[in-house]
Structures are given as C-alpha cells and as structure tokens.
Amino acid sequence: PALAFNARDWILITDCENLTGEPVFNQSLAVALDVGISQSNYVNVYSRDRIRATLQRMRKSAASPVDLALASDIAQRDNVRAVLTCSISKVGNSYALAARVVDPTTQRIALAESASAPNRDAVLPALDDLASRIRGRLGESMATMSDSHRPLPQATTSSLEALKMFAQSRQLDGKDEVAGQQLLRQAIELDPDFAMAHAALGYRLFLSAESDS
C-alpha cells in the first residue's frame, strides 16, 4: 500500500536488527542509515535526541531499544508520518540488508527495499544504495538526490569499527563523559578522516570546559 508521504514529512528510524551475530553491526548501521536519509532535503529524520526526550515523557529509559513497536508509539505521539526499520543477516560470506517503511498507525508496510553485500567491506556502500532508493520511493526527485548525496563511507567513515564506537559514544551523552570522549578518540585513531567523530569530540570537550569554568 502506498504511504501519502509529502515533502518535509518526518520519518523515524529504528535500531537496526542485527541477525549476523557480529557485534560491529549492533549500532553502526542505524547511525549510517540515519546519515544517509538525513542528507535529504525532502525527508525530515526524527533525531535520536528527540526520541530520547519522548522516551522520558513516556517514562521509559533513554536506553530502551527502539524497535518497530516502540518507534510506532513514539511516531503516533509526535505526529511522525512513517517508521523506517532495517535488518542485516548473513549467508555464507555475504550480507543481506532489508528495509521497510511502515505506517505507524496501521502497521502496514508502505514499501520495502533490499540490498546485498559480498563481504563486510561492501556493507556500507550497499546500505548507501538502499538509503538512496528509499528516498526516491518516498518521492524525492533524482535531481535533488544528486545534489545532496554523499556516499556513506565518505559522509561517515569506511570503518565499521569506528562507526560502532561513534554510536556507542552517543549512548553515553550526559552519562559518562570520559568514556564517551575515549570512544571518539579511538574512532579517530581508526579513521583520522572521520569528520563526525572529530566534531562530536570537539563538542564534548567544549561542554567539559564550560562545566569546569
């Protein structure tokens, strides 16, 4: 069934279901998919900060896994038009990625896309292709996507380990600043060109300096 998705409507991205048994995918893919969709000038992505704020209003832990059921509750509370779920599984040495856009009110699947990667190094490029196809099927024009698109390995990092550390550091926001900064430093050691990690570390150091002054 079609979803009446319009320009600047909101979409909420769930945690990515990791069926591979490889911990490197636990948080990294949700961050990458968030970046891939957020590049759009057509789709608004409901941020993790806003998700945490809504969880607090719902009297739930900010660390609660954001699966389809919880994402749908949040979406209905905050008038978010659609929920985007993703999963990764492994067959032999290959990986299979799947994504669905779901209407949070009816739970009907509005669209589904899939992609495959022959090895771990090809997972982020495959996810990048998946994100682009989702943007197009939601209604974004090819011209707009071409203007705003940066491949995920460039927009984030080509290192899944670094991306996982970045995701883990975000979960420590407002909790353990020392551990959060250390994770970001480790991510930067793995990929010195990881601009998102540099920016996040700089912001954390700024906040720490402000609180000490």
Side-chain angles (χ1 to χ4, degrees), residues 49-87:
D49 287 341
R50 299 184 71 173
I51 290 173
R52 283 194 288 266
T54 301
L55 288 173
Q56 288 182 336
R57 294 199 303 272
M58 295 169 67
R59 300 185 183 279
K60 292 182 178 291
S61 168
S64 299
V66 184
D67 57 12
L68 176 59
L70 181 55
S72 296
D73 285 345
I74 295 170
Q76 291 181 73
R77 280 173 172 264
D78 293 354
N79 199 30
V80 175
R81 186 68 191 92
V83 172
L84 173 58
T85 71
C86 67
S87 66

Side-chain angles (χ1 to χ4, degrees), residues 94-155:
S94 301
Y95 296 87
L97 295 159
R100 297 178 299 162
V101 173
V102 178
D103 185 324
T105 303
T106 66
Q107 294 296 291
R108 298 181 76 178
I109 298 173
L111 63 90
E113 287 285 353
S114 61
S116 61
N119 52 56
R120 183 185 287 190
D121 291 340
V123 166
L124 283 180
L127 187 66
D128 182 61
D129 176 60
L130 196 65
S132 295
R133 282 188 275 134
I134 290 168
R135 288 167 58 180
R137 291 189 63 187
L138 287 172
E140 187 172 357
S141 70
M142 291 293 292
T144 303
M145 281 194 285
S146 297
D147 289 341
S148 61
H149 178 252
R150 286 184 65 208
L152 282 177
Q154 296 177 22

Side-chain angles (χ1 to χ4, degrees), residues 178-199:
V178 174
Q181 290 176 21
Q182 184 59 32
L183 282 166
L184 290 170
R185 288 192 174 94
Q186 290 173 352
I188 291 168
E189 286 179 8
L190 288 173
D191 181 1
D193 296 325
F194 191 179
M196 288 173 59
H198 281 285

